[in-house]
Amino acid sequence: MKVLIIEDDEKVGSFLSRGLKAEGYLTLLLTDGLNAVETVKQFEPAVIVLDRMLPNLDGLVICQQLRSQKVSARILILSALSEVDERVKGLRAGADDYLGKPFHFEELLARIEALAKRSVNAEHKRQLQVADLILDLDTMRVQRAGQELNLTAKELGILELLMSNSGKVYSRERILTNVWGLNEDPLTNIVDVYLARLRKKIDDAHSVKLLHTRRGLGYAIMQE
């Protein structure tokens, strides 16, 4: 995870850089704000620790510039100006969080961890995709080549299991356990019946087949 530190106090900046590196972050330190926007675009950090009072360019101005250019990195303003009205200014300028100086490193680290998680969640849509087959995990809608498919709850359960582990072969028994919560097939071939229905819906209209049978082993979804 990349963290860009923009801090003109070299001791504070060095302390932050060393501490975050020790926690596994990849860091880059800037000591003024003149090249901040270009550096953000090149470095592509998930989180920016931004000092409020910088030489040449104020931290709030940098924050506003980043947001005006649709930069999605999370911004944590770090400043000796910690009064309520100053924190409000920072948040209104586009910052995601605001921490006053002096600060405890553990608190700063916790705030960066929270922002980093938000950044990752924003960047990764909750969907599974194999070739042109897409399953939206929030709405449980399925599309193949842009065409929406109508699947039953059990078909969706099988599809999510196989797409979550694309290329991995699942035996009938493992599919039964994961989707039905059963260890034995009450209808002897219920898994085969549902897989046949699923194959018809996702593959029959397409030359490229995604649902594959591995004789004697089970089923897998993959693009061969």
Side-chain angles (χ1 to χ4, degrees):
M1 186 72 70
K2 295 180 182 179
V3 177
L4 175 63
I5 303 164
I6 309 176
E7 169 63 65
D8 66 316
D9 186 319
E10 293 187 8
K11 289 184 178 179
V12 174
S14 178
F15 167 74
L16 290 174
S17 183
R18 292 196 310 271
L20 291 174
K21 284 180 179 177
E23 295 295 328
Y25 291 96
L26 178 63
T27 67
L28 179 64
L29 175 62
L30 293 181
T31 56
D32 67 55
L34 283 180
N35 299 313
V37 175
E38 287 305 313
T39 301
V40 168
K41 291 180 178 179
Q42 293 172 11
F43 187 58
E44 297 183 336
V47 177
I48 301 168
V49 177
L50 176 62
D51 186 25
R52 168 72 185 275
M53 294 181 290
L54 293 165
N56 302 315
L57 197 60
D58 183 77
L60 291 187
V61 175
I62 294 172
C63 193
Q64 291 168 340
Q65 289 179 346
L66 291 172
R67 292 311 184 215
S68 69
Q69 296 192 34
K70 309 301 181 183
V71 171
S72 62
R74 302 299 177 181
I75 300 174
L76 168 61
I77 289 181
L78 196 61
S79 177
L81 301 174
S82 57
E83 295 79 8
V84 172
D85 59 335
E86 296 297 340
R87 297 200 302 270
V88 170
K89 288 179 184 178
L91 297 172
R92 284 179 173 169
D96 297 281
D97 201 353
Y98 196 111
L99 181 62
K101 294 180 181 178
F103 60 90
H104 291 285
F105 181 74
E106 288 300 321
E107 182 181 0
L108 175 74
L109 183 61
R111 289 173 183 249
I112 289 175
E113 288 172 350
L115 292 176
K117 288 178 182 177
R118 286 165 59 184
S119 179
V120 169
N121 291 336
E123 290 172 2
H124 292 85
K125 294 181 179 179
R126 280 179 44 81
Q127 67 177 31
L128 301 173
Q129 182 166 0
V130 178
D132 57 356
L133 178 65
I134 299 173
L135 168 59
D136 187 310
L137 295 173
D138 290 320
T139 64
M140 296 308 286
R141 295 173 63 182
V142 181
Q143 290 185 344
R144 176 85 198 264
Q147 297 297 313
E148 190 159 343
L149 307 179
N150 185 23
L151 304 186
T152 66
K154 285 295 187 286
E155 290 166 352
L156 284 168
I158 296 171
L159 187 64
E160 181 179 357
L161 176 66
L162 297 181
M163 290 185 71
S164 296
N165 301 274
S166 176
K168 184 175 181 179
V169 177
Y170 273 79
S171 66
R172 293 173 177 81
E173 292 75 18
R174 290 188 67 189
I175 294 173
L176 189 69
T177 299
N178 280 277
V179 178
W180 277 266
L182 301 172
N183 294 320
E184 295 182 2
D185 188 344
L187 301 176
T188 69
N189 68 339
I190 189 171
V191 174
D192 294 330
V193 169
Y194 273 88
L195 264 297
R197 293 177 182 172
L198 188 59
R199 174 177 280 118
K200 183 175 182 178
K201 291 181 179 181
I202 69 174
D203 277 344
D204 273 11
H206 305 275
S207 58
V208 176
K209 309 304 180 184
L210 299 178
L211 179 54
H212 303 277
T213 303
R214 294 291 181 258
R215 193 173 299 278
L217 298 175
Y219 299 90
I221 284 184
M222 69 185 83
Q223 184 175 15
E224 291 187 324

